[in-house]
Amino acid sequence: MLEFLNAIGPVTVTGLFGIILWRLQAADADRKANRAKSDERMARIEANTAKLADHDLELATLTDIMEKLKEGIDANGEGFKVIMRYMLQRYHAEYMIQGYITSHQLTEFLEAYEIYKAKGGNGTAKGWKEEICALPVRDDLHPGNPYLEMLKNKGEIKWHSQKPKTEKPMNCSDSR
């Protein structure tokens, strides 16, 4: 039996070395494949990092644009508030000169007042609202424009009593 072991010993050792070498080569191939995958992952990470940097730059640009738009909207809101204050002042003067108010005029005034108030309007308009609400509501009268009447009385407007030369009455929607 010893002779048998001596005879197969070199073959066994060679076989074992072959198996070990085969396993080492397989491990080396796995290591290379894992390295390639790792390199590929790293390349994707770097590409994504570059994309994120681009997105950050775009986001910063969009943020700047949004801030400028907000400034513009705020400025427009302030301008709108000034216009609403003027409208309330004009309505107030007109209705106080008139001495009464129709329910339609009251509705228009209150709608304008609520918009002005929502835009952060001050207490001056509140005083105008209180004076307007104290006026008698007269839906039986049909008010004219007191500003035109004042100008007419001062002679600054010449009223044309002639009819237009066209036979057909002019429609406001036709005059563009």
Side-chain angles (χ1 to χ4, degrees), residues 148-157:
L148 292 177
E149 293 298 322
M150 286 188 311
L151 293 173
K152 180 181 171 186
N153 292 338
K154 288 174 101 177
E156 293 182 22
I157 293 181

Side-chain angles (χ1 to χ4, degrees), residues 137-148:
V137 177
R138 299 284 309 265
D139 285 331
D140 59 321
L141 299 175
H142 301 287
N145 186 322
Y147 294 110
L148 292 177

Side-chain angles (χ1 to χ4, degrees), residues 32-45:
K32 286 179 182 178
N34 287 339
R35 170 61 96 177
K37 288 178 185 177
S38 178
D39 290 346
E40 186 180 310
R41 271 188 247 124
M42 192 54 113
R44 280 196 314 255
I45 289 170

Side-chain angles (χ1 to χ4, degrees), residues 1-74:
M1 174 110 180
L2 195 53
E3 284 178 14
F4 175 75
L5 287 176
N6 283 336
I8 64 162
V11 172
T12 304
V13 170
T14 303
L16 284 175
F17 278 123
I19 292 172
I20 292 172
L21 184 60
W22 173 75
R23 279 305 298 142
L24 287 174
Q25 288 173 344
D28 190 45
D30 288 345
R31 195 173 31 249
K32 286 179 182 178
N34 287 339
R35 170 61 96 177
K37 288 178 185 177
S38 178
D39 290 346
E40 186 180 310
R41 271 188 247 124
M42 192 54 113
R44 280 196 314 255
I45 289 170
E46 288 172 358
N48 287 339
T49 301
K51 284 180 185 178
L52 287 174
D54 290 343
H55 288 302
D56 287 348
L57 181 61
E58 289 175 10
L59 186 60
T61 302
L62 288 174
T63 302
D64 290 343
I65 290 170
M66 287 177 56
E67 287 174 1
K68 288 176 183 172
L69 283 172
K70 184 182 180 320
E71 289 171 9
I73 289 169
D74 290 346

